[in-house]
């Protein structure tokens, strides 16, 4: 894309730079020596701690999303991904929760990677806006994560 006089590249936002720093720290932490079980337990604790740091509305949603995912897709292991709670299969992220505050958006997001088997014909959603977790929304998340790992 050619640059124009009216458009200038200003680089990454502060939030994007912070996410990249989080990811670099996560990679360093994962490379440290230790048993696979110890690393998994530490990763799960890190996710719970990150959720506890969130602002009220994001924290409440993240706690429920975490509970729904861990209950309905036990094959997915909690881990941090760019400073966000994520759930991985064999070390590869399948889905993640992005709090609204992370990038100053108006809603939190539940996103799925291409590893999630959510395929429906020629087009399907891989990210879902979350404004409230009702029993119906929790049931839909449960369906999605079960399908994602099937």
């Amino acid at each position: 894309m050619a640059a124009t006089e009216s458009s200038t590249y200003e680089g990454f936002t502060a939030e994007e730079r912070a996410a990249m720093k989080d990811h670099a720290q996560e990679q360093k932490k994962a490379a440290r020596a230790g048993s696979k079980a110890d690393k998994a337990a530490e990763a799960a604790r890190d996710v719970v701690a990150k959720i506890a740091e969130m602002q009220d509305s994001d924290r409440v949603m993240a706690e429920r999303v975490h509970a729904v995912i861990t209950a309905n897709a036990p094959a997915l292991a909690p881990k941090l991904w760019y400073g966000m709670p994520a759930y991985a299969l064999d070390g590869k992220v399948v889905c993640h929760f992005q709090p609204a505050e992370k990038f100053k958006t108006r809603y939190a997001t539940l996103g799925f990677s291409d590893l999630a088997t959510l395929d429906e014909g020629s087009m399907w959603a891989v990210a879902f806006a979350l404004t409230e977790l009702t029993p119906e929304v929790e049931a839909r998340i449960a369906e999605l994560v079960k399908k994602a790992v099937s």
Side-chain angles (χ1 to χ4, degrees), residues 20-96:
M20 288 185 282
K21 286 179 184 177
D22 287 342
H23 186 62
Q25 289 176 328
E26 293 157 12
Q27 296 293 63
K28 287 178 186 175
K29 195 174 197 178
R32 291 184 190 140
S35 74
K36 190 173 182 176
D38 288 344
K39 287 182 179 183
E42 184 177 15
R45 285 191 301 271
D46 290 347
V47 167
V48 171
K50 183 59 78 172
I51 291 170
E53 293 172 5
M54 293 178 188
Q55 293 178 358
D56 290 344
S57 61
D58 282 336
R59 188 187 70 253
V60 169
M61 273 198 280
E63 287 169 347
R64 290 302 311 141
V65 167
H66 179 75
V68 170
I69 291 173
T70 56
N72 289 281
L76 294 177
K79 67 183 274 181
L80 290 178
W81 184 65
Y82 292 93
M84 297 177 284
Y87 304 87
L89 185 61
D90 299 326
K92 296 180 181 175
V93 172
V94 173
C95 63
H96 71 281

